[in-house]
Amino acid sequence: MRERRFFFAAWPSTDVLSALRLRLAQFRQRDWPPAGRCELPQRWHLTLFYLGASDPTRLQKRLDDLWPGPFPITLSFDRIGAFKDGRVLWIGGQEVPPALTQWRRGWLAEDGIEADPFLPHVTLLRSPRPWSWEEKSIEPLCWPLQELTLVASSGGQYTVLRRWPMVS
């Protein structure tokens, strides 16, 4: 049996998923890497932070203890880019709402971890080899987060273990 790894994520609503598909279709007509495997839309998510191999019961209790209750957050995705190694193409934005930054810092500080720079993004494509890439602007997409989820990942499969509402 594969080891399960955990992360906190937000999944796009139907409307946001449609808007992501539209931006991707517009972009594919203009510019697209020569090789790679597209992520399936049902796997598109925003990872808020990766937790690795942990005890899911402890994680759920910890989030219950640290959860401030619903807090509305809207992200703006306005660019398509690639990480430095040129193997992961993403759609995302540079702006991180202060409430999200504060919540991430609080969670990580409990473990004595300094919050890493956070780039809100959704992975669109993974490439077996790097390619040269220049970040490109796209028509902005607003993503109001509806809920936060604790997700288990094993063998490429995602399982949502718990949900916390982001809106009342």
Side-chain angles (χ1 to χ4, degrees):
M1 185 171 147
R2 292 182 186 250
E3 181 177 44
R4 292 193 321 167
R5 301 200 177 271
F6 302 91
F7 60 94
F8 284 119
W11 300 87
S13 66
T14 304
D15 290 343
V16 171
L17 189 59
S18 294
L20 285 168
R21 285 178 193 236
L22 178 62
R23 299 306 186 288
L24 180 58
Q26 292 167 342
F27 179 75
R28 285 181 95 160
Q29 291 174 358
R30 294 183 307 171
D31 195 3
W32 195 246
R37 174 180 52 87
C38 289
E39 288 292 327
L40 298 172
Q42 61 266 29
R43 293 178 51 87
W44 289 351
H45 64 277
L46 168 70
T47 299
L48 296 166
F49 50 89
Y50 178 73
L51 300 161
S54 299
D55 172 15
T57 304
R58 183 185 79 80
L59 293 173
Q60 290 180 54
K61 179 175 181 348
R62 189 157 161 232
L63 186 55
D64 284 340
D65 292 346
L66 292 174
W67 188 246
F71 57 106
I73 292 179
T74 299
L75 297 172
S76 177
F77 282 9
D78 59 359
R79 61 197 67 239
I80 290 183
F83 291 119
K84 289 180 184 176
D85 71 358
R87 294 177 188 259
V88 173
L89 182 73
W90 51 260
I91 183 171
Q94 300 296 323
E95 298 288 323
V96 182
L100 183 56
T101 299
Q102 182 179 2
W103 182 78
R104 287 183 80 249
R105 281 189 185 138
W107 176 276
L108 295 170
E110 288 285 318
D111 280 342
I113 300 169
E114 189 171 325
D116 56 338
F118 179 56
L119 172 70
H121 73 279
V122 171
T123 298
L124 299 174
L125 178 133
R126 295 180 189 278
S127 175
R129 59 186 183 276
W131 75 92
S132 178
W133 183 260
E134 190 174 313
E135 203 170 282
K136 305 201 183 321
S137 294
I138 59 168
E139 178 186 343
L141 160 86
C142 288
W143 179 351
L145 301 185
Q146 301 295 309
E147 64 184 7
L148 173 71
T149 59
L150 174 61
V151 181
S153 174
S154 179
Q157 300 297 313
Y158 296 150
T159 304
V160 174
L161 301 176
R162 180 98 185 264
R163 299 172 188 277
W164 289 267
M166 297 290 286
V167 291
S168 305

